[in-house]
Amino acid sequence: TRLRTNKPKSVVKMMSTTRFLLRPISRTTRGSLVKTQFSYFSSDDGSHSDFAPQKKAVETDEALEIIKSHVESNRIMLYMKGNPSAPQCGFSARVVGVLQKEGADFSSVNVMDYPSIREGVKKFSDWPTIPQLYVDGEFIGGCDIVTSMHENGELKDLLKVEEQQE
C-alpha cells in the first residue's frame, strides 16, 4: 500500500517503516470535503525504558515528613501549581502576586512535579485545595484566605510581626 501525503519524503519513509497508532484529533467540514487531521503516536519507538522520564514515588508517610521539614525549615512556604515565575493556575498566580506585593521572601514547591506531595499537603493541612501558604510552620490558608488577609491588612501584619521576631 502506498502512503499518500504532502509530508517530506523522509517523514513518509519513517512512517512506512515504523508502527504507528493513528488517532483523529479534529474534523473540519468544507462543503462535501471532510478533512481529518491525525496525531501519530509510535507504539514502539525502539528506546529502552531506562531513557524514559522517571520520578521517584514517595510513600504517604514519607511525603508528610518531607512537607513537615519544608514547613519547619522555611519561614514562608507556598505549595502551588507551577513555580513563582510560571504559575500553572490562576489561584497560585494570585497568591504569588500577593506575596510579591507584600515583599515577602518565600519558598515554594511545584506540586505538579510531585503527585505524592500534592496529595500529602492536603492531608497535612486538612485543606482540600492548592495553593497552600504556611508562615512559621502554621497553615494560613488558600487563595481566598490569603487574598482577603492581604486586602484587610492582616497578612502584612502577620509578616511584619514575623519579621520583628527574627
Side-chain angles (χ1 to χ4, degrees), residues 60-85:
T60 303
D61 291 341
E62 186 180 357
L64 293 174
E65 287 299 316
I66 291 169
I67 293 164
K68 183 178 178 185
S69 72
H70 288 166
V71 168
E72 290 175 350
S73 62
N74 295 287
R75 189 173 144 253
I76 302 172
M77 186 72 210
L78 177 64
Y79 289 91
M80 63 180 290
K81 293 179 181 176
N83 59 57
S85 61

Short mmCIF file of all heavy atoms in Angstrom, two decimals, residues 60-85:
data_model
loop_
_atom_site.label_atom_id
_atom_site.label_comp_id
_atom_site.label_asym_id
_atom_site.label_seq_id
_atom_site.Cartn_x
_atom_site.Cartn_y
_atom_site.Cartn_z
N THR A 60 3.13 7.94 51.32
CA THR A 60 2.38 8.98 52.01
C THR A 60 3.08 9.44 53.28
O THR A 60 3.21 10.64 53.51
CB THR A 60 0.96 8.48 52.34
OG1 THR A 60 0.33 8.09 51.13
CG2 THR A 60 0.14 9.56 53.00
N ASP A 61 3.53 8.51 54.11
CA ASP A 61 4.21 8.89 55.36
C ASP A 61 5.48 9.68 55.08
O ASP A 61 5.78 10.66 55.75
CB ASP A 61 4.55 7.65 56.19
CG ASP A 61 3.30 6.98 56.75
OD1 ASP A 61 2.24 7.64 56.82
OD2 ASP A 61 3.38 5.78 57.11
N GLU A 62 6.22 9.24 54.06
CA GLU A 62 7.45 9.95 53.69
C GLU A 62 7.11 11.35 53.16
O GLU A 62 7.79 12.32 53.47
CB GLU A 62 8.21 9.15 52.64
CG GLU A 62 9.57 9.73 52.30
CD GLU A 62 10.31 8.93 51.25
OE1 GLU A 62 9.81 7.88 50.81
OE2 GLU A 62 11.40 9.39 50.86
N ALA A 63 6.04 11.46 52.38
CA ALA A 63 5.61 12.77 51.85
C ALA A 63 5.25 13.71 53.00
O ALA A 63 5.63 14.89 52.98
CB ALA A 63 4.42 12.60 50.91
N LEU A 64 4.54 13.20 54.00
CA LEU A 64 4.17 14.03 55.15
C LEU A 64 5.40 14.50 55.92
O LEU A 64 5.45 15.65 56.39
CB LEU A 64 3.20 13.28 56.07
CG LEU A 64 1.82 12.99 55.47
CD1 LEU A 64 1.01 12.11 56.40
CD2 LEU A 64 1.08 14.27 55.15
N GLU A 65 6.41 13.64 56.03
CA GLU A 65 7.67 14.03 56.68
C GLU A 65 8.40 15.11 55.88
O GLU A 65 8.95 16.05 56.45
CB GLU A 65 8.58 12.82 56.90
CG GLU A 65 8.11 11.90 57.99
CD GLU A 65 8.04 12.58 59.35
OE1 GLU A 65 8.98 13.31 59.71
OE2 GLU A 65 7.03 12.36 60.06
N ILE A 66 8.39 14.97 54.57
CA ILE A 66 9.03 15.97 53.69
C ILE A 66 8.32 17.31 53.84
O ILE A 66 8.96 18.36 53.98
CB ILE A 66 9.03 15.49 52.22
CG1 ILE A 66 9.96 14.30 52.05
CG2 ILE A 66 9.39 16.62 51.27
CD1 ILE A 66 9.84 13.59 50.72
N ILE A 67 7.00 17.28 53.82
CA ILE A 67 6.22 18.51 53.96
C ILE A 67 6.50 19.16 55.32
O ILE A 67 6.72 20.37 55.40
CB ILE A 67 4.71 18.22 53.79
CG1 ILE A 67 4.44 17.79 52.34
CG2 ILE A 67 3.87 19.41 54.19
CD1 ILE A 67 3.10 17.11 52.13
N LYS A 68 6.53 18.35 56.37
CA LYS A 68 6.81 18.87 57.71
C LYS A 68 8.17 19.56 57.75
O LYS A 68 8.31 20.64 58.30
CB LYS A 68 6.75 17.73 58.73
CG LYS A 68 6.95 18.18 60.15
CD LYS A 68 6.84 17.01 61.12
CE LYS A 68 7.09 17.51 62.54
NZ LYS A 68 7.12 16.40 63.49
N SER A 69 9.17 18.93 57.13
CA SER A 69 10.50 19.53 57.12
C SER A 69 10.52 20.83 56.31
O SER A 69 11.19 21.79 56.70
CB SER A 69 11.55 18.55 56.62
OG SER A 69 11.43 18.34 55.23
N HIS A 70 9.79 20.87 55.19
CA HIS A 70 9.70 22.11 54.40
C HIS A 70 9.10 23.23 55.24
O HIS A 70 9.62 24.35 55.28
CB HIS A 70 8.78 21.93 53.19
CG HIS A 70 9.33 21.09 52.10
ND1 HIS A 70 8.53 20.61 51.10
CD2 HIS A 70 10.58 20.64 51.82
CE1 HIS A 70 9.25 19.91 50.25
NE2 HIS A 70 10.50 19.90 50.67
N VAL A 71 7.98 22.94 55.88
CA VAL A 71 7.23 23.94 56.63
C VAL A 71 8.03 24.43 57.83
O VAL A 71 8.00 25.62 58.16
CB VAL A 71 5.86 23.36 57.05
CG1 VAL A 71 5.16 24.23 58.07
CG2 VAL A 71 4.98 23.16 55.82
N GLU A 72 8.77 23.53 58.47
CA GLU A 72 9.56 23.92 59.64
C GLU A 72 10.84 24.66 59.28
O GLU A 72 11.30 25.51 60.03
CB GLU A 72 9.90 22.68 60.48
CG GLU A 72 8.70 22.10 61.19
CD GLU A 72 9.01 20.80 61.92
OE1 GLU A 72 10.12 20.23 61.73
OE2 GLU A 72 8.12 20.34 62.67
N SER A 73 11.43 24.35 58.13
CA SER A 73 12.71 24.96 57.78
C SER A 73 12.60 26.20 56.90
O SER A 73 13.60 26.88 56.68
CB SER A 73 13.62 23.93 57.10
OG SER A 73 13.04 23.48 55.89
N ASN A 74 11.40 26.52 56.43
CA ASN A 74 11.20 27.73 55.61
C ASN A 74 10.16 28.62 56.28
O ASN A 74 9.05 28.18 56.54
CB ASN A 74 10.71 27.34 54.21
CG ASN A 74 11.75 26.55 53.45
OD1 ASN A 74 12.74 27.10 53.01
ND2 ASN A 74 11.53 25.25 53.33
N ARG A 75 10.54 29.86 56.57
CA ARG A 75 9.65 30.78 57.26
C ARG A 75 8.33 30.96 56.53
O ARG A 75 7.26 30.91 57.13
CB ARG A 75 10.34 32.13 57.43
CG ARG A 75 9.56 33.06 58.31
CD ARG A 75 10.36 34.33 58.61
NE ARG A 75 9.39 35.39 58.66
CZ ARG A 75 9.24 36.31 57.73
NH1 ARG A 75 10.03 36.34 56.69
NH2 ARG A 75 8.32 37.23 57.84
N ILE A 76 8.40 31.16 55.22
CA ILE A 76 7.19 31.29 54.41
C ILE A 76 7.27 30.23 53.32
O ILE A 76 8.18 30.24 52.50
CB ILE A 76 7.07 32.70 53.79
CG1 ILE A 76 7.06 33.75 54.89
CG2 ILE A 76 5.80 32.79 52.94
CD1 ILE A 76 7.13 35.18 54.37
N MET A 77 6.32 29.30 53.35
CA MET A 77 6.34 28.17 52.43
C MET A 77 5.03 28.14 51.66
O MET A 77 3.95 28.19 52.25
CB MET A 77 6.50 26.87 53.24
CG MET A 77 6.67 25.64 52.41
SD MET A 77 8.29 25.63 51.63
CE MET A 77 7.91 24.74 50.17
N LEU A 78 5.13 28.04 50.33
CA LEU A 78 3.95 28.00 49.47
C LEU A 78 3.96 26.73 48.64
O LEU A 78 4.92 26.46 47.92
CB LEU A 78 3.92 29.22 48.54
CG LEU A 78 2.78 29.29 47.53
CD1 LEU A 78 1.43 29.40 48.23
CD2 LEU A 78 2.98 30.47 46.58
N TYR A 79 2.90 25.95 48.75
CA TYR A 79 2.69 24.79 47.88
C TYR A 79 1.75 25.27 46.79
O TYR A 79 0.65 25.76 47.07
CB TYR A 79 2.10 23.60 48.66
CG TYR A 79 3.12 23.02 49.60
CD1 TYR A 79 3.22 23.47 50.89
CD2 TYR A 79 4.00 22.04 49.15
CE1 TYR A 79 4.18 22.96 51.75
CE2 TYR A 79 4.97 21.52 50.00
CZ TYR A 79 5.05 21.98 51.30
OH TYR A 79 6.01 21.48 52.13
N MET A 80 2.21 25.16 45.55
CA MET A 80 1.47 25.75 44.43
C MET A 80 1.57 24.89 43.19
O MET A 80 2.35 23.94 43.14
CB MET A 80 2.02 27.15 44.14
CG MET A 80 3.48 27.15 43.69
SD MET A 80 4.15 28.79 43.34
CE MET A 80 3.28 29.22 41.86
N LYS A 81 0.76 25.24 42.20
CA LYS A 81 0.85 24.60 40.88
C LYS A 81 1.73 25.49 40.02
O LYS A 81 1.38 26.63 39.74
CB LYS A 81 -0.54 24.44 40.27
CG LYS A 81 -1.41 23.47 41.03
CD LYS A 81 -2.79 23.36 40.41
CE LYS A 81 -3.65 22.40 41.21
NZ LYS A 81 -5.02 22.35 40.68
N GLY A 82 2.86 24.95 39.62
CA GLY A 82 3.84 25.73 38.86
C GLY A 82 4.89 26.28 39.80
O GLY A 82 5.06 25.81 40.92
N ASN A 83 5.58 27.31 39.35
CA ASN A 83 6.56 27.98 40.20
C ASN A 83 6.30 29.48 40.15
O ASN A 83 5.55 29.95 39.30
CB ASN A 83 8.00 27.61 39.78
CG ASN A 83 8.30 27.99 38.36
OD1 ASN A 83 8.18 29.15 37.98
ND2 ASN A 83 8.69 27.02 37.55
N PRO A 84 6.90 30.26 41.05
CA PRO A 84 6.58 31.69 41.11
C PRO A 84 6.77 32.44 39.78
O PRO A 84 6.01 33.36 39.48
CB PRO A 84 7.53 32.22 42.18
CG PRO A 84 7.74 31.06 43.08
CD PRO A 84 7.77 29.86 42.15
N SER A 85 7.73 32.04 38.98
CA SER A 85 7.94 32.73 37.71
C SER A 85 7.01 32.23 36.60
O SER A 85 6.84 32.90 35.59
CB SER A 85 9.40 32.62 37.26
OG SER A 85 9.74 31.27 37.08
#
